[in-house]
Amino acid sequence: MPQLADMDKPYDAHQVEGKWYQYWLEQGVFDAEVSAEKEPYCIVIPPPNVTGVLHMGHALDETIQDLLIRWHRMRGFEALWLPGTDHAGIATQNVVEAMIAEEGLSRHELGREKFVQRIWQVKDEHHHQITSQLQRLGVSVDWRRERFTLDEGLSRAVREAFVRLYEEGLIYRGARMINWCPRCSTSLSDLEVDHRQHQGHLWYIRYPAADGGPGLVVATTRPETMLGDTAVAVHPDDERYQDMIGQTVILPLMEREIPVIADDYIDPEFGTGALKVTPAHDPNDLEIAQRHDLPSVVVIDREGNMTAEAGEYAGQDRYECRQQVIADLQAQGLLEKTEDYVHTPGHCQRCDTIVEPLVSTQWFVKMESLAQEGLMAVDEGLVRFVPERWAKVYRDWLENIQDWCISRQLWWGHPIPVWYCEDCGQMTCQRQDPTQCAHCHSSNIHQDPDVLDTWFSSALWPLSTMGWPDETAELDYFYPTSVLVTGYDIIYFWVARMIMMGMHLGGQQPFSEVFIHGLVRDEQGRKMSKSLGNAVDPLELIDEYGTDALRFGLIQLITHGQDLTYTPDRMVGARNFCNKLWNAARLILMNIADAPEVDLEAAELSLADRWILARHNRTLAELDRQLSNYNLAPAADLLYEYVWGEVCDWYLEIAKLDLYQEKNPERKATAQNILRSLLSDILRALHPFMPFITEEIWQRLSPEMGSIVPQSYPQADERWFDDQAEDDMSRVQAAIVAVRSLRADLRIPPGQKVTVTMTAPRQADAQALDSQRECICSLASVESLDIRTAPAQPPADVLTQVAEGIEVYLHLAETIDPEQEIQRLQQEVAELESLRQRSQKKLENEDFLNKAPAKVVAKERERLAEAERDMAKLAEQLQILQKMLEDK
C-alpha cells in the first residue's frame, strides 16, 4: 500500500492510475450477484463496435455510466454494470474488406467461409484493444459477465426472437422499395441513411408530344433515371397542362410513348410543375405508379450500373451515364436549360456512398403493433426520459414509423433462420437447423444467404445479456434494468427498438429511465470527425491530463440533453483540481497522524469549525439532490467549489493556526479530527467522479478498510446544520476579502503587515469577528486590528470598503508613502484614460458598430465601462491621499 512519504512528490496521474485497476479486479469489487438482501441497480453498457476505438462520445458515455454505478454501489445497491461488444455487421465487414483489399483480395475471391473466419480473427485481435481502452477509463464493469452480440447465448436469443415474431406474423418477406448501397452491396434501413445537402443541378428536359406537338418540359436532379420513366405526372388543377392530361409524350433517347397523368402528389411550384415518373428508382414515384397501374422499368442495378433496360447506356456507371445522357439530350436539342440546385440525397452511413432506391425482396418487421407497445411504455410512465423533452422525439417517430427492413446482404452477422425448399417452394423457419422442408419433407433445402441488421440483435441487448429466453435468476433480479445512458442520436436506432422488443418479448420495459446526453463538439460547434481534422482522441487526453481529469472535465460539460463544447481549458481546470485535492490531502495527512480521537459532538468548536461542518453537510445534502436528478455537471461543480473554495481556501488555512501550535492541544486535536472526517467524506463523495486519485489517497487515509470502491457514500447529517455559524462566518470571510481587496488596490506586498479597523452594525457581529481575530490577522496579514460596534467615528486617512454590513478601514499612514502612491495612481489613471479614449472612439465609429460581430461590440462596451469604473475608484483613492498630504 502507498506510504505518506510518497506524497512529497507532485501528483503524477500516470503513476497513480496505472496500478489501481488491476487491484480492483483482483479484489472483485466490481462483481455483482443476485442478492435477496439488496436492491438491484443495473446498467447494460451500450456495446462498442468490437473493431472500433474509443472516441470522445464513448468517453462521455462510459464516464456517466461509471459515475452512476459507483454512486449506487456505494449507496448499498447490488450494482451491476454489464459489459459487452457489438459485432457491428456492416461496419466490421467494411473494416475487414479494406484489410484484405490491401492484400489484393476481395471477399468474393476469398469466399464466404474464409472471409467470416478472417473477421473472427480480427475480432479476437481487436477485442483486447477496446476492453483495455475501457479499463483505462476506469469502468467498474463486472467483466465475468461480458457478452458479445454473436456469442452462443445471444445468437440463440436472436433466433428465438426472429422465429417468435415470424410465427406471430410480425416478420414477413416482401418486395418493397428500399435503400440500397452499391458499395456495401446491401439494403439499409431509413435510419442508416444520412441525408446531406449537395450542390447539384436541375436539368430541364423536353418530352415531345407523340402527335408532333411541343409536349412539355420536366425538371430533374437525376437525368440518368429518365431512361426508366413510365409516365409524366401533373397536378389535376394545374391549368397549364389541362390539354395534356390523357395524352402521350415521347420519352427522349428511348423513343417510347408514355402517358401524361394527373396526380394530387405533384407540386405545381416545383420546376415546371411536370414530374417524370420513374417507379423503379423513387419511392414517391412508385406510389404514383401503384395508384395509376403503371409498369416499373429497372434501369440501375445493385452495383450502380445501368441495366439492359437502359438500351445503349447498358453497363455504364450511373454517374457516367448521367453525363452521357446530358450530352445526348443537348445534341438533340431537348435540354432546355440547367440550373444550380441544392438537394439532399441519401448517403450510406458507413461508407458515405450515395444510396440507390431500389425495389427488392427483403425481410421486414411489421412495426405498427410494436410501436403501440413502445408508446404505452412511455405514456404509462414505465420508461422515463431525462430530459423529458426527448420523450416527444421518441413519440413522434413511433407515431409515424414505417416497417423495418431487417435483412442485409452481408456475410458477417446473425444468419436469417429461414430455409427455402427447392421442390415445393415453401419456407421453413424454426429454432433448430432443419434437415428437411417442414411442408413437403424434402431434404432439398437451402438457407437464406442474408444476415440480420445489426440493430436487430442490439434491440435485444438488455434481455439477451440476462439469459433470455431462459428464465434465469439474473433476468428475474436485474431486469428491468435501471437506466440506459446514451446520446440522442440513437434514440430511433436503438432506444426505441429496445423498448418495443422488451415490452413485446420480455413483457416489461427494458429499463426504467433513459438518460440522454448530447454529442461532444469542437469550439466551433462542429461534430468531431477525422474528415474535419477536429477529432480528439480521449486516450491522448488521458496521456496528457490523466483519466480523472478527463472524466471530471467531461462531466462538468454536461448540459441536459444539449451538445457539449470541448475545450482544452476544461481539461486543464480539471487537472488543476486533481492537484489541489492531492496537495490538500498531503497537508491533512501530514498533520493528523498523531491525532487522539475526539468526540466532535462533545468538543468545544470554534466558529470556523461549526461553519465548515455546516457547509460540509449542506453540500452533501445538495449533492444527493443533484445526483438523484441526473444533474451531473452541477454536482461536479458543487464538489469543485466546496473542496477548493471552502475547504482549501478557507478552513485549511484557518486550521493551520491550530495544527501548528502546541499551547492548546485540545484545539489541535479537534481540528485534526475534523480534517480527517472531511477528507474521508470528500474522497468518498468524489470517488464516482475521480476513482483513481481518490483510491490512492484513501489507501493512505484508511488502508485498514480496503478499497474505497465498496465504502458507503457520505450522507448529510442535519444535526450539523448551523445557520448562525454560516451567517457569522460569511461576514468574517467578507471582511477578510475586503482587506485583501484594499491591499491589492494599493499593491501592498503579501508580507507587509497592515493596520485595520472594522466596524460592525451589531454587537453579535463584532463578537463573531473578535472570535476569529487570529484568523483575520493571519489570512489578511494584519498586524493591528481594532473591532468596534456602530455607531463609531470613522478613522482618518483610510481606504474603506463595506462588506456584508462590516465597514473595513485600511489605515494608510502606517502602510504607504502618500507621495509615491499618488505618482503611481496618476500614472494608472493616464493609462486608463488612454484606453478609455480608444474604446470611446471605436464605439462612436458607425462602421465598427454595423460591421463588427455583436459579441465584439459588447466586449468593447464592457471594456469602456470597466475603464470608467477603475478610473472612478482611483480618483477616490487619490482624493484620500491628497488630503493626507494636506493634513501633514
Side-chain angles (χ1 to χ4, degrees):
M1 286 298 125
Q3 302 299 313
L4 181 56
D6 299 340
M7 294 192 78
D8 289 342
K9 305 170 187 174
Y11 177 63
D12 184 343
H14 302 114
Q15 182 182 352
V16 167
E17 294 173 359
K19 62 189 175 185
W20 288 118
Y21 201 87
Q22 188 58 39
Y23 166 77
W24 290 329
L25 294 180
E26 290 168 358
Q27 296 296 310
V29 290
F30 302 158
D31 297 348
E33 305 293 348
V34 173
S35 172
E37 288 75 38
K38 287 186 177 182
E39 183 178 345
Y41 183 85
C42 180
I43 298 176
V44 289
I45 198 170
N49 292 1
V50 73
T51 56
V53 293
L54 289 188
H55 52 65
M56 287 293 278
H58 287 120
L60 173 65
D61 212 52
E62 316 311 350
T63 296
I64 293 171
Q65 292 172 81
D66 195 49
L67 188 160
L68 294 173
I69 279 288
R70 288 181 185 267
W71 179 50
H72 281 85
R73 185 184 290 122
M74 296 177 81
R75 293 171 66 207
F77 289 80
E78 189 65 22
L80 169 62
W81 188 10
L82 196 149
T85 49
D86 196 323
H87 69 281
I90 192 170
T92 301
Q93 179 158 317
N94 283 348
V95 166
V96 178
E97 282 196 66
M99 287 181 178
I100 64 172
E102 292 178 3
E103 302 168 14
L105 291 170
S106 71
R107 64 173 166 126
H108 297 286
E109 290 169 327
L110 197 58
R112 183 165 187 156
E113 185 177 348
K114 288 185 177 179
F115 180 72
V116 171
Q117 286 175 358
R118 184 68 177 270
I119 297 180
W120 276 105
Q121 179 186 338
V122 172
K123 174 262 177 189
D124 292 339
E125 292 168 356
H126 280 71
H127 174 261
H128 175 70
Q129 179 180 340
I130 195 76
T131 54
S132 63
Q133 289 175 347
L134 288 170
Q135 291 182 7
R136 286 199 70 188
L137 278 172
V139 297
S140 59
V141 299
D142 186 345
W143 287 109
R144 303 170 308 157
R145 299 179 181 274
E146 184 184 3
R147 304 305 299 267
F148 176 54
T149 51
L150 271 177
D151 69 28
E152 184 180 349
L154 270 65
S155 295
R156 191 163 70 87
V158 168
R159 186 147 176 180
E160 173 65 29
F162 185 99
V163 174
R164 192 177 297 188
L165 293 172
Y166 178 85
E167 290 173 345
E168 294 172 355
L170 292 176
I171 282 182
Y172 66 94
R173 186 170 184 252
R176 293 184 56 177
M177 182 158 284
I178 49 92
N179 305 293
W180 182 266
C181 176
R183 155 64 186 78
C184 298
S185 297
T186 185
S187 60
L188 304 170
S189 73
D190 290 342
L191 294 178
E192 294 170 299
V193 176
D194 290 333
H195 290 271
R196 296 201 304 276
Q197 286 193 344
H198 268 236
Q199 181 61 58
H201 297 91
L202 204 55
W203 287 276
Y204 288 77
I205 304 167
R206 179 167 297 279
Y207 285 48
D211 62 6
L216 40 68
V217 175
V218 302
T220 180
T221 59
R222 301 192 65 198
E224 70 278 8
T225 63
M226 66 172 290
L227 306 174
D229 287 359
T230 57
V232 173
V234 298
H235 195 277
D237 298 331
D238 193 334
E239 294 181 0
R240 294 171 294 178
Y241 301 115
Q242 291 301 309
D243 60 340
M244 290 294 299
I245 296 172
Q247 303 299 312
T248 60
V249 293
I250 301 298
L251 177 62
L253 308 182
M254 301 304 286
E255 301 302 321
R256 68 170 179 261
E257 287 189 36
I258 57 175
V260 178
I261 60 174
D263 195 279
D264 289 333
Y265 170 77
I266 309 306
D267 178 7
E269 302 300 318
F270 177 77
T272 64
L275 176 78
K276 56 185 284 302
V277 181
T278 319
H281 299 287
D282 184 279
N284 297 312
D285 291 6
L286 179 59
E287 290 184 12
I288 293 172
Q290 289 169 344
R291 287 194 291 271
H292 296 270
D293 198 23
L294 298 173
S296 182
V297 179
V298 178
V299 293
I300 301 175
D301 66 19
R302 291 186 171 196
E303 281 71 47
N305 297 323
M306 307 310 290
T307 69
E309 294 283 1
E312 64 184 85
Y313 304 96
Q316 293 183 3
D317 169 80
R318 52 184 171 161
Y319 298 117
E320 178 190 352
C321 177
R322 176 181 296 179
Q323 298 309 315
Q324 189 62 54
V325 164
I326 292 167
D328 290 347
L329 288 169
Q330 232 165 358
Q332 294 184 22
L334 296 175
L335 184 64
E336 297 278 311
K337 63 176 179 175
T338 304
E339 292 179 347
D340 289 339
Y341 182 71
V342 176
H343 61 131
T344 55
H347 294 69
C348 172
Q349 204 175 59
R350 295 300 177 185
C351 72
D352 209 39
T353 301
I354 293 181
V355 301
E356 192 64 48
L358 292 176
V359 174
S360 177
T361 299
Q362 301 287 341
W363 287 94
F364 297 87
V365 178
K366 290 182 181 177
M367 299 304 295
E368 186 176 359
S369 63
L370 294 174
Q372 290 306 311
E373 294 186 71
L375 287 167
M376 181 190 72
V378 171
D379 293 342
E380 294 186 1
L382 300 175
V383 176
R384 182 175 78 97
F385 277 81
V386 180
E388 169 62 29
R389 68 178 180 276
W390 291 108
K392 182 181 185 303
V393 174
Y394 169 87
R395 285 191 187 93
D396 287 347
W397 185 65
L398 286 188
E399 287 169 356
N400 297 281
I401 199 167
Q402 301 295 313
D403 285 357
W404 173 15
C405 177
I406 57 170
S407 47
R408 297 291 179 270
Q409 288 64 53
L410 303 171
W411 290 354
W412 174 246
H414 291 279
I416 290 178
V418 173
W419 283 256
Y420 303 99
C421 180
E422 296 178 15
D423 291 332
C424 72
Q426 294 293 316
M427 293 184 294
T428 298
C429 176
Q430 59 187 49
R431 292 163 179 80
Q432 304 298 326
D433 288 3
T435 57
Q436 60 182 21
C437 172
H439 304 278
C440 72
H441 308 298
S442 167
S443 59
N444 195 14
I445 58 175
H446 67 275
Q447 188 171 6
D448 192 305
D450 293 349
V451 299
L452 287 166
D453 178 8
T454 295
W455 294 102
F456 189 88
S457 54
S458 298
L460 304 172
W461 186 246
L463 274 172
S464 59
T465 52
M466 298 294 173
W468 186 89
D470 294 336
E471 295 180 3
T472 64
E474 285 77 10
L475 189 64
D476 182 61
Y477 182 67
F478 288 113
Y479 187 92
T481 64
S482 305
V483 63
L484 175 78
V485 176
T486 190
Y488 62 74
D489 55 331
I490 55 174
I491 290 177
Y492 308 143
F493 277 113
W494 195 40
V495 179
R497 288 167 174 169
M498 279 192 289
I499 294 174
M500 288 186 284
M501 290 297 188
M503 294 296 291
H504 186 77
L505 297 173
Q508 290 178 283
Q509 72 278 12
F511 28 74
S512 301
E513 294 180 308
V514 183
F515 179 62
I516 299 292
H517 59 74
L519 308 181
V520 184
R521 297 187 180 274
D522 69 8
E523 293 178 78
Q524 298 177 41
R526 299 175 303 173
K527 188 174 180 179
M528 290 187 173
S529 70
K530 289 181 181 178
S531 61
L532 288 176
N534 65 346
V536 178
D537 184 347
L539 298 177
E540 291 180 3
L541 294 181
I542 289 174
D543 290 339
E544 185 173 359
Y545 302 105
T547 300
D548 287 330
L550 172 63
R551 288 170 59 119
F552 199 80
L554 284 174
I555 291 168
Q556 286 185 300
L557 290 174
I558 298 170
T559 52
H560 260 216
Q562 300 294 327
D563 287 342
L564 297 69
T565 302
Y566 165 79
T567 62
D569 291 348
R570 184 66 74 175
M571 297 301 115
V572 172
R575 181 178 60 188
N576 291 345
F577 182 52
C578 290
N579 291 332
K580 191 72 172 179
L581 177 65
W582 180 260
N583 292 332
R586 179 174 58 187
L587 174 65
I588 293 171
L589 290 169
M590 287 171 59
N591 286 280
I592 64 172
D594 61 345
E597 191 169 333
V598 173
D599 180 0
L600 293 180
E601 292 189 41
E604 185 177 340
L605 302 178
S606 69
L607 172 60
D609 295 338
R610 290 166 49 218
W611 167 77
I612 195 61
L613 291 170
R615 291 298 309 130
H616 181 74
N617 284 280
R618 286 198 193 279
T619 298
L620 293 179
E622 180 63 12
L623 178 63
D624 182 74
R625 189 182 74 82
Q626 296 289 8
L627 288 175
S628 297
N629 288 298
Y630 292 97
N631 294 324
L632 307 185
D637 292 341
L638 180 72
L639 285 169
Y640 179 96
E641 290 159 10
Y642 167 66
V643 171
W644 194 313
E646 296 184 310
V647 175
C648 296
D649 285 354
W650 287 102
Y651 188 73
L652 260 181
E653 296 304 312
I654 297 169
K656 288 177 185 177
L657 301 174
D658 292 321
L659 295 175
Y660 298 161
Q661 56 81 32
E662 299 298 335
K663 62 183 179 182
N664 191 338
E666 290 80 11
R667 279 295 315 139
K668 179 178 179 180
T670 299
Q672 288 174 315
N673 276 260
I674 290 174
L675 288 171
R676 169 179 275 280
S677 176
L678 293 180
L679 182 57
S680 174
D681 280 3
I682 287 168
L683 293 176
R684 287 179 288 130
L686 276 170
H687 178 69
F689 299 81
M690 309 165 77
F692 292 103
I693 190 173
T694 51
E695 182 73 78
E696 178 78 12
I697 299 171
W698 178 263
Q699 293 293 346
R700 290 171 164 86
L701 178 69
S702 302
E704 73 285 354
M705 297 183 70
S707 173
I708 193 174
V709 173
Q711 304 303 322
S712 62
Y713 203 73
Q715 299 296 310
D717 186 343
E718 294 185 5
R719 292 176 300 173
W720 292 111
F721 288 2
D722 190 332
D723 292 344
Q724 189 61 55
E726 290 190 58
D727 288 345
D728 289 346
M729 194 63 192
S730 177
R731 278 182 273 279
V732 170
Q733 291 170 306
I736 293 170
V737 169
V739 176
R740 289 172 172 173
S741 175
L742 292 170
R743 291 176 63 102
D745 289 344
L746 297 172
R747 298 187 181 178
I748 299 170
Q752 182 180 337
K753 300 285 186 179
V754 296
T755 299
V756 172
T757 297
M758 294 182 182
T759 302
R762 298 176 304 157
Q763 185 64 35
D765 298 329
Q767 289 173 349
L769 291 170
D770 193 55
S771 75
Q772 297 300 303
R773 178 182 292 274
E774 185 181 5
C775 160
I776 294 170
C777 290
S778 175
L779 271 59
S781 199
V782 174
E783 183 173 39
S784 173
L785 177 61
D786 181 18
I787 299 173
R788 308 174 181 177
T789 305
Q793 184 67 29
D797 301 336
V798 293
L799 277 185
T800 309
Q801 237 185 62
V802 179
E804 293 201 13
I806 309 296
E807 295 175 5
V808 178
Y809 304 98
L810 176 63
H811 294 257
L812 299 177
E814 299 89 340
T815 307
I816 59 169
D817 180 328
E819 290 185 4
Q820 288 184 0
E821 188 62 19
I822 286 172
Q823 287 178 5
R824 184 183 72 79
L825 292 180
Q826 285 174 337
Q827 184 178 346
E828 276 196 45
V829 168
E831 290 171 357
L832 284 169
E833 175 60 20
S834 175
L835 176 65
R836 189 196 69 79
Q837 288 180 10
R838 286 199 302 272
S839 286
Q840 186 74 43
K841 189 174 180 181
K842 265 190 179 182
L843 291 168
E844 289 172 353
N845 185 324
E846 290 297 325
D847 278 352
F848 173 74
L849 294 176
N850 293 330
K851 295 178 181 178
K855 285 184 179 179
V856 173
V857 174
K859 191 172 183 179
E860 197 61 46
R861 286 201 171 106
E862 178 54 34
R863 187 179 286 126
L864 174 62
E866 186 178 354
E868 290 174 342
R869 284 195 301 270
D870 290 346
M871 289 177 68
K873 191 175 183 180
L874 293 178
E876 182 185 343
Q877 293 177 19
L878 280 167
Q879 187 178 6
I880 294 169
L881 292 168
Q882 285 162 350
K883 186 175 184 304
M884 283 179 65
L885 282 179
E886 292 169 5
D887 291 345
K888 284 186 176 181

